[in-house]
Amino acid sequence: MGQALAGMVAILIVLLFTQPSLAGGDEHRTLRLLLDKGIITQQEYDQAVTEEQREETREKQEDAVTKNDLEIKLGGFAEIDFVGDNTRSFEETIGNRPVLRSNTVGGANSVFQTSARSSRITFDVRAPERDGIKSRFYGAMDFLGNEPSVGSSGVSNLTFQTSPAARIFQMYFLVESPAVDVKIGQDWSRFGFMSQYSRGQLSVSATPANMFNRWVQASLSKQLRLTDTLTLTPVFSVERPPQSDGTLPSFVAGVQVAHHGLQAPYTGSSTGDISLKPLSLQVSGVGRRLEANSGGPTNPSGGQPNLSSQTYVPGWGVSSSLFIPVLPSRDGKIGHTAHIVMEGVTGAGISDMFNGLSWGICNPVCGNSTSNSGFGGATFGQTNIDAGLAAVSSQTGKFEAIRTTSMMVHGTYYLPDHGKTWIGGGYGTIYSSNAGEMTCTVSAAFCGGALRSSQSIYVRDSTYYAYAFHDFTPEIRAALMTNWVRTTYADGFNAENHRIQVTFFYRF
């Protein structure tokens, strides 16, 4: 694994430092020659480069296909990942999954992976303004759909990597009117103004403590201009229930305040365009309801249970995020700028807001005896709650939402080469104060086929990381990242994974 990664890193370094024409040397060669000869000033050079970049953007916008007055654009990117881990805990995606314990085969051995499954195709359809109303459809699909794990019957590693399942990544339509903006479809949750405060790191999907998930919703929002530079954006959305048998949707409300007089470049994802983002603060909350059957005894001799009896527990969350331009942009320049992103979240029954987070707590829930509660067993334990949201506490015997608290800080610096190169890093941690109480050791049948113990439940995931990106052209991008993830289990055991990743992108 080390030799393979060393080779990939060497390729990236050679491309980055020995190919100046790819890195932009030809793009503004005439202007650079005029600057070197003193014919134009640095300010005139910068203005000319900025105008060329704007013209390129306008040309890209004009490359749309028009049909029935609709402007249709096809886009996306190819992403080729080369990933080395010192454990076998993850596929391409780390998310908030646990590092396997070192006393397991997967936790004691390393792995090297290659993948193109994160590549994406996007469709952007815009209608002309009609009676003051603008509308847009946006769809995106990638190839990380639900698939059986490697080793399942008939699934080889070759099949898993080269025949992936396509999935809906985003699919929504947006209607903008003078009074309100309406979004309906599958997109980032409005809780935490998700995706607007993401870490623009390399690892596929977010690593621990960064909210990252998309689902169907209907939301209302509107950016209100308070002064020439200050805006206020309230949001309200009705989103998917937290479980398939849920009887109420999730409700999200929040507000974002932004100061547009202070901005810095921001790349919210590994493939995103670099754009200026203002100093901003968001505060938002989510409310939801989790439920489980509690119809009475589950053993054959315990009498007839009440089939419709349900136990309810509230789920809730509060999030706050801050974007700070620590080296703000001057006159729209990208180079020699920097920003910091901070985010904090606390709540209960909100693990699905964090990609892959389960705390090792399987579905269904279970009771603390074989006969007394109605929780557990083959019939009445089937609550259809995703892992990590709620369970029956082994200490209280009550159905409880699992508490989650996270915090992260992240920084990015854009080098003085017109934003072609940027580096960054950060830290994040996410933990639960009651996940360790959700053990289930009566029988495997009570625990969804797997016993829950302090050796399988994890109570904290932490990460720190560093990365470098470079755009050789607007289409060709490469990146290098190193990442550490540490998982703390309920019994106090710690497991660590170190990842080195090299990725090449072609954006279109």
Side-chain angles (χ1 to χ4, degrees):
M1 182 191 75
Q3 293 178 341
L5 284 173
M8 296 310 305
V9 172
I11 291 173
L12 180 60
I13 293 174
V14 168
L15 287 173
L16 183 58
F17 293 106
T18 67
Q19 299 293 328
S21 62
L22 280 177
D26 289 335
E27 191 172 348
H28 308 296
R29 177 169 292 179
T30 302
L31 290 173
R32 173 60 65 180
L33 183 61
L34 293 174
L35 177 64
D36 292 341
K37 291 183 176 295
I39 299 174
I40 61 175
T41 65
Q42 181 67 50
Q43 182 179 2
E44 290 171 331
Y45 171 84
D46 292 338
Q47 290 175 345
V49 169
T50 299
E51 184 56 36
E52 285 187 4
Q53 292 172 341
R54 289 174 179 168
E55 183 61 30
E56 289 176 359
T57 300
R58 285 193 292 267
E59 289 176 357
K60 287 182 179 180
Q61 291 173 344
E62 293 171 358
D63 280 341
V65 176
T66 302
K67 180 180 180 181
N68 298 331
D69 293 331
L70 299 177
E71 185 183 82
I72 304 170
K73 294 181 182 178
L74 173 67
F77 57 87
E79 175 176 335
I80 313 301
D81 300 315
F82 299 87
V83 183
D85 292 293
N86 71 326
T87 75
R88 298 175 182 173
S89 304
F90 313 114
E91 299 290 342
E92 309 97 314
T93 302
I94 293 178
N96 295 266
R97 297 166 177 82
V99 180
L100 298 177
R101 299 170 71 104
S102 58
N103 59 354
T104 65
V105 173
N109 293 277
S110 61
V111 66
F112 178 76
Q113 305 174 76
T114 61
S115 177
R117 303 193 318 145
S118 295
S119 302
R120 193 176 304 167
I121 299 173
T122 65
F123 301 89
D124 194 347
V125 182
R126 298 173 187 254
E129 185 173 331
R130 307 181 195 275
D131 299 324
I133 296 177
K134 299 178 181 178
S135 62
R136 175 194 184 195
F137 166 82
Y138 184 81
M141 69 175 185
D142 64 11
F143 304 92
L144 289 166
N146 289 326
E147 298 173 350
S149 61
V150 176
S152 301
S153 177
V155 180
S156 66
N157 179 264
L158 178 64
T159 300
F160 181 80
Q161 292 292 343
T162 62
S163 302
R167 67 169 182 175
I168 296 175
F169 188 79
Q170 292 166 281
M171 184 172 290
Y172 64 85
F173 66 87
L174 175 66
V175 179
E176 299 175 284
S177 73
V180 66
D181 298 340
V182 180
K183 179 187 288 184
I184 300 176
Q186 179 165 306
D187 196 23
W188 305 102
S189 171
R190 303 311 293 264
F191 179 55
F193 285 71
M194 207 175 290
S195 84
Q196 294 189 35
Y197 296 90
S198 291
R199 302 187 287 240
Q201 61 192 52
L202 176 58
S203 182
V204 178
S205 186
T207 47
N210 193 187
M211 289 196 296
F212 187 97
N213 247 326
R214 313 147 330 279
W215 43 61
V216 172
Q217 60 187 271
S219 68
L220 305 175
S221 66
K222 192 63 182 179
Q223 186 181 88
L224 307 174
R225 186 164 293 278
L226 304 180
T227 69
D228 289 342
T229 59
L230 193 65
T231 61
L232 178 73
T233 305
V235 301
F236 175 77
S237 66
V238 178
E239 304 184 357
R240 63 172 280 275
Q243 63 188 100
S244 61
D245 288 339
T247 54
L248 285 177
S250 301
F251 298 96
V252 175
V255 64
Q256 182 186 65
V257 181
H259 176 51
H260 298 263
L262 193 62
Q263 303 184 62
Y266 173 70
T267 311
S269 66
S270 59
T271 57
D273 292 328
I274 302 172
S275 59
L276 294 180
K277 182 179 178 67
L279 169 68
S280 66
L281 168 70
Q282 75 83 19
V283 179
S284 56
V286 60
R288 57 205 338 200
R289 185 169 74 173
L290 304 164
E291 52 193 272
N293 182 274
S294 57
T298 58
N299 62 326
S301 61
Q304 177 63 43
N306 181 351
L307 299 179
S308 62
S309 177
Q310 296 286 310
T311 292
Y312 303 100
V313 63
W316 61 275
V318 177
S319 168
S320 182
S321 308
L322 184 63
F323 178 87
I324 306 174
V326 291
L327 287 177
S329 173
R330 306 296 183 186
D331 301 321
K333 294 180 181 178
I334 303 298
H336 188 49
T337 58
H339 70 257
I340 290 176
V341 177
M342 294 184 288
E343 182 178 83
V345 182
T346 189
I350 58 170
S351 65
D352 53 345
M353 300 287 181
F354 299 86
N355 185 278
L357 181 61
S358 71
W359 299 119
I361 298 172
C362 56
N363 173 37
V365 296
C366 69
N368 57 2
S369 81
T370 58
S371 62
N372 70 346
S373 70
F375 295 107
T379 302
F380 302 107
Q382 300 293 337
T383 61
N384 289 309
I385 295 177
D386 288 344
L389 287 172
V392 174
S393 170
S394 61
Q395 295 189 6
T396 66
K398 295 181 179 180
F399 184 57
E400 297 181 8
I402 299 171
R403 295 189 289 272
T404 297
T405 299
S406 72
M407 60 173 291
M408 70 93 169
V409 60
H410 166 86
T412 300
Y413 173 70
Y414 295 84
L415 275 62
D417 62 351
H418 308 292
K420 296 181 181 298
T421 307
W422 60 100
I423 58 176
Y427 169 80
T429 187
I430 186 167
Y431 64 92
S432 175
S433 60
N434 68 338
E437 302 173 6
M438 305 300 169
T439 56
C440 178
T441 57
V442 177
S443 70
F446 269 55
C447 305
L451 296 179
R452 301 198 303 255
S453 69
S454 59
Q455 288 77 41
S456 60
I457 294 174
Y458 60 103
V459 295
R460 182 184 290 271
D461 247 358
S462 299
T463 184
Y464 54 99
Y465 55 90
Y467 60 77
F469 281 81
H470 183 75
D471 280 349
F472 298 101
T473 72
E475 296 79 23
I476 302 171
R477 175 176 293 179
L480 168 67
M481 185 189 78
T482 181
N483 175 282
W484 285 263
V485 176
R486 184 179 188 180
T487 298
T488 300
Y489 286 85
D491 64 350
F493 186 88
N494 291 308
E496 294 187 359
N497 183 83
H498 177 211
R499 167 170 290 194
I500 298 178
Q501 179 172 342
V502 177
T503 296
F504 300 91
F505 305 91
Y506 190 90
R507 306 185 310 139
F508 59 91

